[in-house]
Amino acid sequence: MPYQKFLRYLQYEKRFSTHTLTAYGTDLKQFFYFIKTTYQVETVSEITHFFIRSWIVSLLDQKLDSRTVNRKISSLKTFFRFLQREKAISHNPMLKIIAPKTAKKLPVFVDRHKMDQLLDGIPFKEGFEGIRDKLVINLFYQTGMRLSELINLKESDVDVFNLTVKVLGKRNKERVIPITPEMKDEISLYILEKKKVFTDISSQLYLFVRNDGNKLYPKFVYRLVNIMLSQVTTNKKRSPHVLRHTFATEMLNSGAQINAIKEILGHSSLAATQVYTHNSIEKLKNIYKQAHPKA
């Protein structure tokens, strides 16, 4: 395939995550399949903006969300910039491509009282499994870390003396997230319980393990979060990322500076964090409508 070298570049030089590499690979595979079957084009030098526009139209005709289409366009932009840098093409056909506009969507989050209900009122399973599951939910909620960051946490990443957790984020960038004394106690209790269940030293490398002592995997965590959130919210989206949104929204509504939230979340730009201000503004509007006599 003409994009395998590009994917290796993303993996080894740009240090893209496995999830991102899979998305790029899928997008490019779909694109090359389309131009091969539709126009009998197989080499990158033959690709023009006309073929790319035709592919975008076909995606929109499939009723794909404009955000999904734009992500695929972004994959192509990165790919063709790479080709130009490698001198595999003399002209970049993506320069004539305009991405479809996307409607701005507010991040989905869970209300504080519902999170309190989940963590304090909904019973978890007994023993190691229940302690682990509750800690997973609470750690997402109290730190805003990503799914991949939580799965790859090691026991050594938890600093119980300084009340911090070290995570490895996108592009292998490390950052330190503060935790509360209560969270420290919850983590310590979980580790103690884990050591009672698993004597194998390998199971003590990663903080979170399954019932067989092996490291958690994304679908396991996604399923856990989905099941637990379904007990307190009717939101269609019930993923670990929703808990990340919930953390950021709670921090902002409680008066935290947006730059501080940006650092904790590990965002590379402030623009990615500013989306949470919209939720805060909506909350203020609702308060205004309820409180002001002329509203």
Side-chain angles (χ1 to χ4, degrees):
M1 290 292 178
Y3 51 84
Q4 293 304 322
K5 184 178 179 181
F6 168 66
L7 294 178
R8 288 194 295 271
Y9 161 76
L10 296 183
Q11 180 178 5
Y12 297 111
E13 293 191 38
K14 303 298 288 183
R15 299 287 189 179
F16 278 21
S17 68
T18 302
H19 176 77
T20 305
L21 288 170
T22 301
Y24 271 81
T26 300
D27 294 340
L28 292 171
K29 183 178 180 179
Q30 291 173 351
F31 172 69
F32 277 101
Y33 176 80
F34 173 82
I35 62 171
K36 180 180 179 180
T37 56
T38 308
Y39 299 107
Q40 290 73 54
V41 171
E42 296 189 48
T43 58
V44 292
S45 58
E46 295 179 84
I47 298 172
T48 68
H49 66 278
F50 172 80
F51 300 140
I52 298 170
R53 285 176 180 169
S54 179
W55 182 57
I56 293 171
V57 170
S58 75
L59 295 175
L60 294 173
D61 285 344
Q62 296 171 40
K63 307 300 182 185
L64 290 184
D65 183 80
S66 57
R67 289 176 179 270
T68 301
V69 175
N70 280 342
R71 195 210 70 222
K72 294 178 182 294
I73 292 173
S74 178
S75 297
L76 284 189
K77 284 182 177 179
T78 307
F79 175 61
F80 279 101
R81 280 199 299 266
F82 170 79
L83 292 179
Q84 205 166 24
R85 196 194 74 167
E86 294 287 303
K87 299 189 180 346
I89 57 173
S90 57
H91 177 72
N92 187 345
M94 293 302 296
L95 296 177
K96 293 186 177 182
I97 300 299
I98 300 175
K101 291 184 178 180
T102 58
K104 290 185 178 179
K105 294 183 179 179
L106 297 181
V108 175
F109 67 98
V110 182
D111 291 334
R112 179 185 296 183
H113 76 275
K114 290 182 179 178
M115 288 304 302
D116 290 341
Q117 180 186 352
L118 173 59
L119 294 168
D120 300 328
I122 302 295
F124 285 77
K125 293 179 181 179
E126 295 291 331
F128 163 76
E129 187 176 353
I131 294 172
R132 177 202 62 206
D133 293 353
K134 185 174 183 179
L135 179 58
V136 166
I137 300 293
N138 209 3
L139 201 57
F140 275 133
Y141 178 48
Q142 290 200 32
T143 66
M145 66 176 63
R146 300 177 178 94
L147 171 59
S148 61
E149 294 168 350
L150 180 134
I151 287 174
N152 290 305
L153 275 180
K154 297 180 174 64
E155 287 191 13
S156 58
D157 291 329
V158 181
D159 188 337
V160 296
F161 298 104
N162 292 309
L163 297 178
T164 59
V165 175
K166 182 177 66 178
V167 300
L168 189 64
K170 289 185 175 181
R171 314 288 192 273
N172 284 343
K173 291 182 180 178
E174 286 187 350
R175 70 182 188 281
V176 175
I177 303 175
I179 58 174
T180 63
E182 292 76 18
M183 174 57 71
K184 181 262 294 184
D185 292 341
E186 195 173 335
I187 294 173
S188 298
L189 174 65
Y190 162 74
I191 291 176
L192 188 64
E193 190 68 24
K194 185 172 73 165
K195 288 179 179 178
K196 290 179 185 177
V197 178
F198 306 105
T199 56
D200 185 0
I201 194 69
S202 64
S203 66
Q204 296 172 21
L205 173 62
Y206 288 101
L207 179 61
F208 291 108
V209 295
R210 306 196 301 274
N211 294 355
D212 59 3
N214 291 315
K215 176 184 173 186
L216 297 186
Y217 55 90
K219 284 187 178 179
F220 179 98
V221 180
Y222 185 93
R223 188 163 54 244
L224 166 64
V225 172
N226 187 285
I227 290 172
M228 296 313 299
L229 287 184
S230 68
Q231 299 185 58
V232 296
T233 179
T234 56
N235 289 343
K236 289 184 179 180
K237 290 187 177 181
R238 299 188 294 267
S239 66
H241 217 69
V242 168
L243 291 176
R244 180 169 162 87
H245 293 327
T246 302
F247 163 81
T249 302
E250 286 288 355
M251 289 284 288
L252 194 64
N253 287 341
S254 299
Q257 292 185 353
I258 194 167
N259 277 310
I261 300 172
K262 168 183 172 293
E263 293 303 316
I264 294 175
L265 291 176
H267 284 159
S268 57
S269 69
L270 193 59
T273 316
Q274 285 174 329
V275 66
Y276 297 107
T277 61
H278 296 293
N279 278 329
S280 187
I281 290 168
E282 288 302 312
K283 184 177 181 179
L284 288 174
K285 284 181 180 178
N286 290 331
I287 293 172
Y288 174 78
K289 289 177 181 177
Q290 294 170 10
H292 198 282
K294 296 294 185 181

